[in-house]
Amino acid sequence: MGKLLIPNFKKGGRMLSRNKDTDYLALSARIHAMEGRLLTRDRMDRMIDAREESEALKVLTECGYGGAEGLRAQDVERVLATARAETFQELSTAAPDPRVVDVFRLKYDYHNVKALLKARAMDTDAGRMLMDMGRVPAAELKEALESGHLEELPPCLAAAAAEAKEVLDTTRDPQLSDLVLDRGCYRDLLETAQATGSVFLKGYVQIQIDAANLRALVRTLRMGKNADFLRGVLFPGGAVEEGAILKVSAEGGAGLQDLYGSTPLAAAAEAGGEILKGGAMTEFEKLCDDAVGEYLSGAQAVPFGEAPLLGYLAARESEYTNLRILLLGRSAGLPPELIRARLRRSYV
């Protein structure tokens, strides 16, 4: 197997270092121009209100998906995957520091390891589950896992894959194996962000960790699990201290809103408190995602630097999520107001 080219270590044969904001001048101007094709709230409303499916799908062509004519509903998943892969490739090449893009790509490496390990345990083919959008091509990742040559993978990914494989082989519990990989993924995200020297990027990763930990806290309280159980599913590295989260758990949820009241997750925590009284998870999950989107809204005020690139990439990820919610909602015959209520916060 050939040596993998891992872009978060070197670019152009030199060690990557902290870039200056001015290094992003040309790319930032390009990003601001590309924002005009994002799926705006107005475009989503037009899709929701469209009488015919073809009319709704036609709006996607305004956002650069597919051709001008002939896009069908069954093509959407393929079109989204193609668009995502092309965006990653284009911006990784153009970015002064491709590690900024890696923060969005590396989760697909961990997804692929999960799929490959489960397929191996079940003696099936992981082919349809693999997503070729990570830092490591899916075929090379598969070969590395099968051959045991994990040293050629990015260090954090290699360590998490080895531990997850051991956990799955020992316990036969895929949830425990997935937890190992999720913890490795967040660690990888944080280390990659820190390596860039970008305070904004590190904050973006931390708000994701905080959202994941809030979800874990609310779910464990809802299931009646204790703080010891929660300790095993929390992810380190967030802005909200693990000890404070465990204290709320030990006290049965008391202090939940106070803990998150001064954070971007205040509204989500309030919804989480309602869930503990028997409410539904849908709005809570949406508010967790919206808190991350609210953090990213600050990128729109930055003329150049890594922030516009980060904001655009996150906007595209939210766009893919909203398109699935919207199109699945239409196909299921959901009322327009219910579809709108489920949509994630739009960047534009």
Side-chain angles (χ1 to χ4, degrees):
M1 177 169 136
K3 185 69 174 176
L4 296 178
L5 299 178
I6 306 302
N8 53 330
F9 297 132
K10 293 186 178 183
K11 183 178 183 182
R14 60 181 176 82
M15 292 302 294
L16 287 168
S17 58
R18 174 72 171 111
N19 290 87
K20 296 179 292 185
D21 288 348
T22 50
D23 293 336
Y24 286 85
L25 273 170
L27 180 57
S28 295
R30 184 174 162 191
I31 290 293
H32 288 309
M34 292 165 66
E35 287 174 351
R37 302 195 80 177
L38 288 171
L39 187 70
T40 62
R41 193 75 195 198
D42 176 66
R43 284 171 172 155
M44 286 190 283
D45 284 339
R46 285 166 54 198
M47 292 183 71
I48 293 170
D49 295 332
R51 292 185 178 183
E52 302 293 336
E53 184 179 83
S54 59
E55 184 183 345
L57 292 172
K58 192 176 293 184
V59 176
L60 295 184
T61 64
E62 299 176 18
C63 302
Y65 293 98
E69 301 291 341
L71 188 62
R72 300 170 302 170
Q74 57 264 42
D75 298 327
V76 169
E77 196 62 39
R78 172 185 55 77
V79 168
L80 293 182
T82 300
R84 181 189 273 119
E86 289 176 350
T87 298
F88 285 153
Q89 182 59 43
E90 177 184 358
L91 295 180
S92 289
T93 302
D97 189 340
R99 292 173 298 192
V100 176
V101 185
D102 283 348
V103 166
F104 292 86
R105 299 184 73 172
L106 66 83
K107 66 182 179 182
Y108 297 103
D109 293 329
Y110 289 86
H111 164 85
N112 287 339
V113 172
K114 289 180 183 180
L116 288 164
L117 290 181
K118 289 173 185 174
R120 173 181 170 273
M122 299 174 65
D123 194 27
T124 60
D125 182 19
R128 290 189 176 183
M129 294 292 295
L130 300 179
M131 304 177 74
D132 220 348
M133 288 172 277
R135 299 162 298 176
V136 184
E140 294 186 10
L141 183 54
K142 179 180 180 181
E143 187 175 342
L145 288 170
E146 290 177 349
S147 66
H149 294 307
L150 300 180
E151 69 279 359
E152 296 190 23
L153 301 177
C156 196
L157 177 64
E163 184 182 352
K165 179 180 180 299
E166 182 179 356
V167 166
L168 188 57
D169 288 345
T170 302
T171 67
R172 313 304 295 178
D173 187 338
Q175 288 186 322
L176 291 178
S177 177
D178 283 355
L179 180 60
V180 169
L181 288 164
D182 288 340
R183 186 172 286 114
C185 183
Y186 281 118
R187 176 187 171 190
D188 208 345
L189 283 169
L190 195 56
E191 290 182 358
T192 301
Q194 289 172 330
T196 69
S198 169
V199 175
F200 190 82
L201 185 56
K202 180 182 176 182
Y204 171 63
V205 173
Q206 286 188 310
I207 186 64
Q208 290 185 79
I209 294 173
D210 287 336
N213 285 342
L214 174 56
R215 286 185 175 102
L217 171 59
V218 170
R219 286 170 182 161
T220 54
L221 285 169
R222 196 182 193 200
M223 293 187 296
K225 300 289 187 179
N226 59 27
D228 288 335
F229 177 87
L230 176 62
R231 184 179 287 108
V233 296
L234 288 179
F235 303 113
V240 180
E241 295 183 358
E242 291 178 70
I245 298 173
L246 291 169
K247 184 174 185 294
V248 169
S249 174
E251 295 178 356
L256 173 64
Q257 293 180 42
D258 290 339
L259 178 60
Y260 289 93
S262 61
T263 76
L265 288 157
E270 184 176 352
E274 293 302 313
I275 286 173
L276 300 181
K277 301 173 186 177
M281 290 286 289
T282 306
E283 180 65 12
F284 168 67
E285 294 283 359
K286 177 182 179 296
L287 288 170
C288 285
D289 289 344
D290 284 352
V292 179
E294 179 64 30
Y295 174 85
L296 288 166
S297 65
Q300 292 179 299
V302 180
F304 54 86
E306 74 275 3
L309 172 58
L310 173 62
Y312 178 77
L313 285 165
R316 289 299 298 268
E317 291 294 300
S318 295
E319 180 170 299
Y320 305 138
T321 299
N322 280 334
L323 283 171
R324 289 191 181 90
I325 292 171
L326 195 157
L327 294 170
L328 286 173
R330 278 185 58 95
S331 66
L334 297 181
E337 61 273 17
L338 183 54
I339 297 175
R340 287 187 172 91
R342 293 181 176 181
L343 293 173
R344 272 35 179 181
R345 187 184 189 280
S346 178
Y347 180 76
V348 289

